[in-house]
Amino acid sequence: MFLGVDGGGTKTAFCLIDSAGTIQARALGEGAYYFADNATGGVDHVVRVLEQGIEAVTKAAGITPADIAHAFLGLPGYGEVPGDIAALDAAPGRVLGHQRYASDNDMICGWAGSLGAVDGINVISGTGSMTYGERQGRGVRTGGWSELFSDEGSAYWIATRALNVFSRMSDGRLPEGPLAELLRRHLGLTSDLEVIDVVLNRWQGHRSEIASLTPLVVEAAGSGDTEAAAILTEAGRELALLVDSARRRLGFSPDETVLVSYSGGVFRSAGVLDAFTAALRSSAAGYELRQPLFEPVVGAAIYAAKLAGTPLSTEALAALRSHSGITTTENSHDIA
């Protein structure tokens, strides 16, 4: 039995698979972004999230943590504060009760799931954004320098630009489009200036709350809001730039065709995905864009099997693929 954990800014997914490629259980918990929770415990917050999720999936599968052969836990923010790595590495052991696991950044879950853990580049765009790619055993990350001055093309990035557009529409610096009224209704504003109170005071500038506004931008674009559509197009282009950067740093030659895939909720937007695809196609470099094979959390479990020295067989991967589509919700347990 192999456990995959895909931590994120707004939710953490858990998945147990067996060596035959059968998903035994799933669970969904709150976000494991420990930077945002330093006031309530930091790494201890990660432990609480893992406790809840691991208890849920093991109970659903009728096993105990001791029965897990190996686990891979992708944690948001891992590696960004060197002084925290030891504590984050130790956190899963406090829950599992053994050392048959490995921790790293959640970007690896997206890559392992989307490309089946083969050479190539995966770009992630959820609450934040970054790319991770591998070539001949060497991995490279680009992007993901925090929401304050990076995370281009992410949900947070899209939402902050939408809030800026809202302020300019309200002032009359831009013609008002559908985005303005969508935000007013969603936020329950009694006046446009109240958005300051909502975002800065009530939400305390929390990245997850802000990022949650992105579906409104997608809806506004679908209703003909040209400013909202422009934000989504720019997001797709920014994500393509991350891929180009990762390609160069990994040392792919100009004549190599590089496999590229994607993960994260932002890619549900056709506006973002279309702009991303167009930017890759217009590049002088060769890319083969593939739809994701598996969800990031399933990728984490596949990677756990590989780390254990018992990678899933071709037959097991085919079986897993046949009943673990990207939107599979079977045996899902929401513990948020």
Side-chain angles (χ1 to χ4, degrees):
M1 201 76 75
F2 305 102
L3 171 67
V5 179
D6 176 37
T10 55
K11 65 181 184 299
T12 298
F14 300 78
C15 180
L16 273 172
I17 65 173
D18 61 25
S19 58
T22 301
I23 294 179
Q24 295 292 334
R26 293 174 180 261
L28 191 65
E30 62 182 300
Y33 188 67
Y34 78 104
F35 292 151
D37 296 276
N38 280 331
T40 58
V43 175
D44 285 341
H45 169 74
V46 176
V47 173
R48 288 193 295 272
V49 172
L50 295 180
E51 284 175 340
Q52 293 173 353
I54 291 173
E55 179 183 5
V57 289
T58 54
K59 183 178 179 180
I63 66 170
T64 69
D67 298 315
I68 296 172
H70 207 80
F72 178 75
L73 305 98
L75 303 175
Y78 184 99
E80 295 170 9
V81 180
D84 290 342
I85 292 177
L88 288 172
D89 281 340
R94 293 163 59 182
V95 181
L96 292 169
H98 58 74
Q99 300 300 308
R100 298 187 302 276
Y101 68 87
S103 300
D104 210 313
N105 195 279
D106 60 307
M107 63 188 179
I108 293 179
C109 303
W111 165 76
S114 291
L115 290 175
V118 301
D119 283 2
I121 299 166
N122 183 66
V123 58
I124 306 164
S125 185
T127 305
S129 68
M130 66 176 71
T131 65
Y132 178 77
E134 285 198 7
R135 178 174 183 264
Q136 298 176 1
R138 175 173 169 258
V140 160
R141 161 184 171 164
T142 60
W145 292 84
S146 87
E147 69 273 16
L148 290 180
F149 52 87
S150 180
D151 283 1
E152 294 85 357
S154 69
Y156 180 92
W157 185 93
I158 290 169
T160 56
R161 274 150 185 77
L163 288 169
N164 176 263
V165 165
F166 174 76
S167 71
R168 289 187 286 151
M169 285 180 175
S170 181
D171 284 345
R173 288 176 284 160
L174 285 174
E176 183 165 314
L179 177 64
E181 189 57 32
L182 283 171
L183 283 170
R184 289 187 189 109
R185 288 203 306 266
H186 179 79
L187 298 176
L189 303 180
T190 57
S191 70
D192 286 357
L193 279 175
E194 191 182 5
V195 72
I196 300 172
D197 179 49
V198 172
V199 175
L200 298 184
N201 296 328
R202 300 180 212 171
W203 292 356
Q204 294 290 299
H206 197 282
R207 69 197 295 263
S208 298
E209 296 279 10
I210 294 170
S212 71
L213 298 176
T214 290
L216 298 176
V217 185
V218 176
E219 183 179 349
S223 297
D225 194 305
T226 57
E227 295 294 335
I231 292 171
L232 299 179
T233 297
E234 187 181 1
R237 291 170 179 166
E238 288 286 352
L239 294 168
L241 288 175
L242 290 175
V243 172
D244 280 333
S245 176
R247 178 193 179 110
R248 290 191 298 272
R249 292 185 59 201
L250 283 166
F252 284 103
S253 65
D255 59 345
E256 284 185 89
T257 298
V258 179
L259 298 181
V260 176
S261 194
Y262 49 89
S263 53
V266 168
F267 281 104
R268 296 192 191 104
S269 163
V272 174
L273 183 56
D274 288 349
F276 174 72
T277 302
L280 290 183
R281 286 176 176 166
S282 66
S283 172
Y287 292 110
E288 181 182 333
L289 183 62
R290 292 186 174 181
Q291 291 186 339
L293 292 173
F294 303 101
E295 299 163 83
V297 67
V298 175
I302 293 170
Y303 196 52
K306 182 177 180 179
L307 292 175
T310 54
L312 297 188
S313 65
T314 301
E315 293 76 17
L317 287 171
L320 184 60
R321 179 66 177 157
S322 70
H323 60 73
S324 66
I326 296 300
T327 58
T328 294
T329 56
E330 185 179 354
N331 290 331
S332 179
H333 302 271
D334 194 333
I335 59 173

